[in-house]
């Protein structure tokens, strides 16, 4: 069984793309795939998909949708400052492990 590491990005976070065709763009994480270390970000890494006509979609055609992007190409945007930052983990007052911004040192609220 493959062990999955804890991730620095969760769904709902704002992220900045630091590598690839969408470098420099920012967006909100819609879905995180921990097993593949990939995430789907709103408006980032758009691909065209050819759809065959079906009963639910009689027209078919070409649609644009987001493809997944590797987590190593994403950097969290600190909600306090609005800048991209690295993420660390430390325990809060209740002893629970929380993410924090390495740039400012402040805890990152989940969600």
């Amino acid at each position: 069984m493959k062990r999955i590491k804890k991730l620095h990005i969760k769904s709902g976070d704002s992220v900045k793309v630091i590598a690839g065709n969408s470098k420099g763009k920012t967006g909100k994480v819609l879905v995180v795939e921990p097993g593949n270390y990939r995430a789907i970000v709103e408006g980032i890494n758009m691909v065209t998909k050819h759809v065959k006509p079906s009963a639910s979609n009689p027209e078919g055609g070409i649609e644009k949708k987001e493809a997944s992007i590797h987590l190593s190409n994403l950097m969290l945007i600190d909600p306090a400052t609005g800048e991209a930052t690295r993420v660390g983990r430390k325990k809060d007052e209740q002893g629970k492990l929380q993410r924090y911004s390495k740039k400012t040192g402040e805890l990152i609220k989940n969600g």
Side-chain angles (χ1 to χ4, degrees):
M1 188 169 144
K2 188 169 128 180
R3 184 178 169 105
I4 298 171
K5 295 164 87 176
K6 288 203 174 197
L7 306 175
H8 64 285
I9 290 173
K10 295 183 177 185
S11 58
D13 286 343
S14 293
V15 293
K16 181 177 183 178
V17 181
I18 58 173
N21 290 340
S22 301
K23 182 177 179 176
K25 293 183 182 175
T26 60
K28 184 179 175 188
V29 177
L30 302 174
V31 179
V32 177
E33 302 168 3
N36 300 330
Y37 295 101
R38 298 181 80 80
I40 296 176
V41 183
E42 192 175 33
I44 304 293
N45 200 18
M46 299 297 286
V47 294
T48 55
K49 183 169 173 60
H50 295 261
V51 181
K52 283 178 73 172
S54 64
S56 61
N57 184 8
E59 288 295 310
I62 301 171
E63 65 179 38
K64 292 184 85 60
K65 61 183 281 184
E66 294 98 350
S68 65
I69 187 168
H70 199 270
L71 292 177
S72 65
N73 297 329
L74 299 175
M75 201 169 195
L76 184 78
I77 293 179
D78 187 3
T81 61
E83 295 180 6
T85 181
R86 292 182 299 150
V87 177
R89 287 187 180 77
K90 64 182 172 184
K91 292 188 177 179
D92 62 1
E93 299 84 36
Q94 292 82 26
K96 189 176 176 190
L97 208 58
Q98 290 283 330
R99 298 181 301 162
Y100 75 96
S101 165
K102 288 205 172 184
K103 196 172 266 189
T104 62
E106 293 186 31
L107 291 178
I108 297 168
K109 302 287 184 248
N110 296 337

